[in-house]
Amino acid sequence: MFPERLRNLAMLILDDAEQARLKIATAESCTGGLLAALFTEIPGSSNVFERGFVTYSNRAKEEMLGVPGDALADYGAVSEPVARMMAEGALGNSRANIAVGITGVAGPGGGTKMKPVGTVHIACARENRAIIHEHLQLGEISRDAIRMAAVETALNLIQAQMR
């Protein structure tokens, strides 16, 4: 289902996390659970993958992750602050040590002048460390390509937080 390079990267992350006794959680919007699906496609992932939140709507972000409605109104769902709050919310509402938040505009519609299709914000939180963030401007490539690029970037951020 996933490209081999993403499967291999996910397997490496799961192995490293298991050795370090770390648990991972995901909070996904535009990827709709693809990162969680990638992790759970790998046998034995339950030793590391703690849970995934698919928070596609703003209300879900508020109810499941504790993202304040004011932040969603002020910054918009597709923003660095919201991605950071999603990662923090996943960390705080799970038993994970590392959590990633992904929010973006996967298209083909839904983009604006300020946040065009292909805009994605990804944040990764780890207990007792600074949150790291990546902002992607992928342009109007396919919806699938945007979502897979977001998954790959999230994997890279998780790997960076494990170092």
Side-chain angles (χ1 to χ4, degrees):
M1 181 169 152
F2 292 94
E4 189 174 345
R5 77 181 190 296
L6 292 185
R7 257 183 75 82
N8 290 340
L9 181 53
M11 281 192 286
L12 178 64
I13 288 167
L14 291 172
D15 287 344
D16 289 349
E18 187 168 12
Q19 288 178 19
R21 297 180 187 261
L22 297 171
K23 300 280 186 186
I24 298 170
T26 60
E28 301 179 69
S29 187
C30 67
T31 50
L34 283 174
L35 181 56
L38 173 59
F39 281 136
T40 59
E41 184 175 287
I42 298 164
S45 60
S46 61
N47 295 331
V48 171
F49 184 68
E50 211 278 322
R51 72 183 70 183
F53 299 90
V54 177
T55 55
Y56 209 67
S57 70
N58 284 351
R59 174 162 262 162
K61 289 173 184 65
E62 290 180 66
E63 292 174 356
M64 296 172 72
L65 301 173
V67 176
D70 289 349
L72 290 161
D74 291 347
Y75 304 110
V78 179
S79 63
E80 179 178 346
V82 169
R84 288 174 177 272
M85 289 178 217
M86 288 173 66
E88 288 176 316
L91 204 58
N93 289 291
S94 71
R95 296 188 189 310
N97 313 98
I98 297 175
V100 65
I102 305 170
T103 183
V105 184
T112 65
K113 204 174 254 191
M114 294 295 292
K115 296 177 186 178
V117 170
T119 302
V120 182
H121 288 274
I122 304 159
C124 188
R126 180 171 175 182
E127 292 174 322
N128 304 314
R129 288 201 187 169
I131 296 173
I132 56 176
H133 167 262
E134 187 81 32
H135 176 202
L136 305 178
Q137 290 286 77
L138 300 166
E140 291 200 33
I141 57 177
S142 74
R143 182 176 180 84
D144 288 346
I146 290 167
R147 289 162 39 114
M148 283 299 153
V151 166
E152 185 168 9
T153 301
L155 289 169
N156 290 330
L157 290 179
I158 293 167
Q159 194 172 48
Q161 281 287 38
M162 290 175 54
R163 293 186 192 120

